[in-house]
Amino acid sequence: MNRHQFFIISILVLFTIPIVLKGQESIDGLWKSIYNLESNTDDSVINYTRIILKIDGSEGELQNYDRYFSEKKVFTNRLKIDKEELTLSFYPDSGDIKTYKFKTVDTGLDIIFNEDPLQIIRFNKLQEYNLGGKKEELFDFLTNNAIKGTFEYYDEDLEMEFHPDSTMLVTNSVKSYLTILNKWTLLENNLELFIYLSDFGPMVQMTRIAPGRIDFVDEFDQIYNGYFEKTSPEIKFDKNKLLGIWEQEKPDTTGFSSIPAKMGDREFYPQEVWEFSEIKAVKHHRFFTRDTDWETSKNGELIILESTNDGYFRILSLDDKKLAVERRTIYGEFIRDTFLRRKSLPKPTTPNKYF
C-alpha cells in the first residue's frame, strides 16, 4: 500500500462538520493519530503518522513516535487544554507558548495547525483493552516462535521472524514495501499495548492475546485488522548447500549498450558469479568484485546480504546443481533468477570479445 495518497478537494467536507463537546470529560482519554492532512486549492495529501495524545481534564501530553527507531527516543510535549475555547497550548511553561485550535468531528478529534492551506492531524479515541501487563508474554511469543502474519495493510500473508535485538524479517517476500519491515518494538501507554513495525510500518494496538495468536488493529483511511499466529517451525533450505560458487544461468543485459568503448579490453563478467563461504559472499559482475557478510533467515529461505545493493534473495529451490531465487534488482524490478553451481570461478572475458 502507498503510504502517501492524493485526494480530491471534496474530501475536505469531512473536516467541516464539528460536533459539540458533551461535557468536560468527553475528550478525556487516550487518542491515536490516524493521519496528517495538508491541503490547498489544487489537491490534498494525507500521510500516515504515529502519535499518542493523552487528555486528562485541562492537562495533556502528546507523544510522537514517528522517528522512534532513528532517534531512539519519543518526542514528548506537555499541553494545556481549554475545553471552552477549544484550544491546546504547547510549551505552556515557557515563554514560547504555541496555541492551536481543535475540534471534534464524527468520532475523531482534529488539531488544526493551519487553516489556509489546511494542516491538521486527525486522532481517533482508542478503545481500552488493558493488555499492558502482558508485554513480556507478547515478547516471548514473538521471539520464540515462527510467526505467520495476516494484516489488511498488505496484499499477502507474511512469514516473519522477530529477533530479541529488535530486528525482524519477512522471509516469504522480497517486495520493496515488505522489506522495510526490518525493525520492531513493543510499546506500552496507559495500559494499552502496541507493536511498532519499522519507521515506515504500522503501529498497531493489541486487542487480544491468546495462546498461539494475537489480534490487533490500526486505522488510516479505514480500519485495518490483523493477527499474528504461531506456526510450526520449518527449515526449508540448508545454508550449507549454498557454500561454493554459483554462476547466473542467463546474463542480465540491462545497460550493456552504455558500456564505454575505452573499457572494451578490461576484465568483464557478463553473468553474476557468487562465491559463498561461511561468513563472506563475493560477487563478480561486470567490471567489479564486491564482498559482503551474509546470513540466512532461521528457516533458511532468505539470503541476507549485508552490504551490497542486492539486499535479499528469497530461495525458491536449491539442490546440488541449481539455485533458483526471487529478488528485487537495483532498478526496482521484481524478478526470478537461476544460478548454476561451478567447480571453480569462471574466467572473465572482455566486452570486445563478448560482443
Side-chain angles (χ1 to χ4, degrees):
M1 161 178 290
N2 256 328
R3 309 310 308 207
H4 304 283
Q5 304 178 12
F6 286 90
F7 286 79
I8 58 173
I9 199 67
S10 61
I11 69 162
L12 295 182
V13 70
L14 294 174
F15 306 97
T16 61
I17 312 173
I19 296 176
V20 177
L21 294 176
K22 298 177 181 179
Q24 291 291 88
E25 293 74 37
S26 60
I27 63 169
D28 285 0
L30 198 66
W31 300 73
K32 184 174 179 288
S33 59
I34 306 175
Y35 49 70
N36 174 16
L37 174 81
E38 298 182 15
S39 68
N40 54 44
T41 54
D42 297 322
D43 55 38
S44 299
V45 62
I46 188 168
N47 299 323
Y48 181 80
T49 188
R50 308 157 201 81
I51 299 173
I52 297 292
L53 175 64
K54 292 187 283 188
I55 299 176
D56 183 11
S58 62
E59 302 285 333
E61 185 177 77
L62 184 147
Q63 296 178 332
N64 190 334
Y65 294 86
D66 277 337
R67 299 183 61 83
Y68 178 83
F69 287 107
S70 56
E71 297 182 355
K72 307 302 181 185
K73 61 182 180 180
V74 180
F75 175 81
T76 302
N77 217 322
R78 296 291 301 168
L79 304 171
K80 289 289 186 182
I81 300 164
D82 189 324
K83 293 178 179 177
E84 293 185 359
E85 296 295 327
L86 301 183
T87 61
L88 301 97
S89 297
F90 292 83
Y91 308 106
D93 301 322
S94 74
D96 186 25
I97 299 175
K98 297 186 183 299
T99 300
Y100 301 99
K101 296 179 181 178
F102 71 87
K103 65 181 178 181
T104 56
V105 180
D106 296 334
T107 60
L109 181 148
D110 292 350
I111 300 179
I112 305 163
F113 292 94
N114 195 53
E115 295 193 358
D116 189 18
L118 181 64
Q119 293 179 312
I120 71 149
I121 296 180
R122 164 69 60 86
F123 293 83
N124 261 14
K125 199 168 189 178
L126 293 178
Q127 293 188 46
E128 296 180 3
Y129 297 97
N130 297 311
L131 295 174
K134 294 191 174 185
K135 186 175 180 180
E136 185 175 346
E137 177 184 338
L138 179 56
F139 181 88
D140 290 342
F141 170 78
L142 293 174
T143 56
N144 293 326
N145 295 296
I147 301 296
K148 178 183 176 182
T150 299
F151 194 29
E152 293 173 354
Y153 259 55
Y154 304 113
D155 59 5
E156 61 184 288
D157 288 344
L158 313 179
E159 294 176 15
M160 313 172 80
E161 293 180 2
F162 290 87
H163 304 150
D165 65 355
S166 295
T167 60
M168 64 172 291
L169 292 169
V170 175
T171 61
N172 66 318
S173 180
V174 291
K175 288 185 179 179
S176 58
Y177 64 84
L178 293 178
T179 56
I180 64 170
L181 299 180
N182 56 13
K183 297 178 184 178
W184 73 285
T185 193
L186 299 182
L187 301 167
E188 183 182 349
N189 202 315
N190 273 32
L191 294 179
E192 298 307 313
L193 191 56
F194 303 87
I195 301 178
Y196 185 5
L197 303 176
S198 295
D199 281 320
F200 299 100
M203 178 175 159
V204 298
Q205 182 187 12
M206 300 299 97
T207 61
R208 186 175 74 104
I209 297 178
R213 171 170 164 153
I214 60 172
D215 295 331
F216 49 81
V217 67
D218 194 18
E219 191 166 351
F220 178 47
D221 55 332
Q222 65 184 61
I223 294 175
Y224 293 90
N225 294 288
Y227 60 90
F228 291 155
E229 61 183 345
K230 175 183 176 181
T231 61
S232 299
E234 176 187 0
I235 305 301
K236 297 184 178 180
F237 301 101
D238 181 355
K239 176 183 177 179
N240 292 322
K241 285 190 175 181
L242 285 167
L243 301 181
I245 298 171
W246 299 89
E247 183 180 31
Q248 191 177 27
E249 186 175 34
K250 296 180 180 179
D252 173 11
T253 58
T254 306
F256 273 3
S257 61
S258 62
I259 294 176
K262 64 181 180 180
M263 301 181 78
D265 292 320
R266 286 188 57 183
E267 287 192 346
F268 175 76
Y269 287 90
Q271 283 104 311
E272 285 184 31
V273 181
W274 286 88
E275 296 179 272
F276 288 101
S277 62
E278 287 288 348
I279 299 174
K280 293 288 184 181
V282 181
K283 176 184 179 181
H284 307 268
H285 192 215
R286 305 291 173 88
F287 303 103
F288 303 100
T289 296
R290 297 186 174 92
D291 67 85
T292 177
D293 292 343
W294 75 287
E295 188 50 85
T296 60
S297 55
K298 291 178 182 178
N299 66 359
E301 187 174 2
L302 203 67
I303 301 175
I304 306 155
L305 302 160
E306 299 286 351
S307 59
T308 70
N309 289 327
D310 300 277
Y312 305 107
F313 286 5
R314 179 179 166 231
I315 300 175
L316 301 175
S317 64
L318 172 64
D319 58 35
D320 291 337
K321 295 182 179 180
K322 184 179 291 188
L323 166 66
V325 300
E326 188 174 50
R327 59 174 170 158
R328 192 169 67 97
T329 70
I330 61 173
Y331 308 103
E333 298 171 327
F334 192 61
I335 64 169
R336 297 188 174 193
D337 219 338
T338 303
F339 294 82
L340 304 178
R341 187 182 289 279
R342 299 297 183 218
K343 292 182 178 180
S344 60
L345 185 67
K347 291 184 178 180
T349 182
T350 67
N352 285 343
K353 292 179 180 177
Y354 184 76
F355 296 115

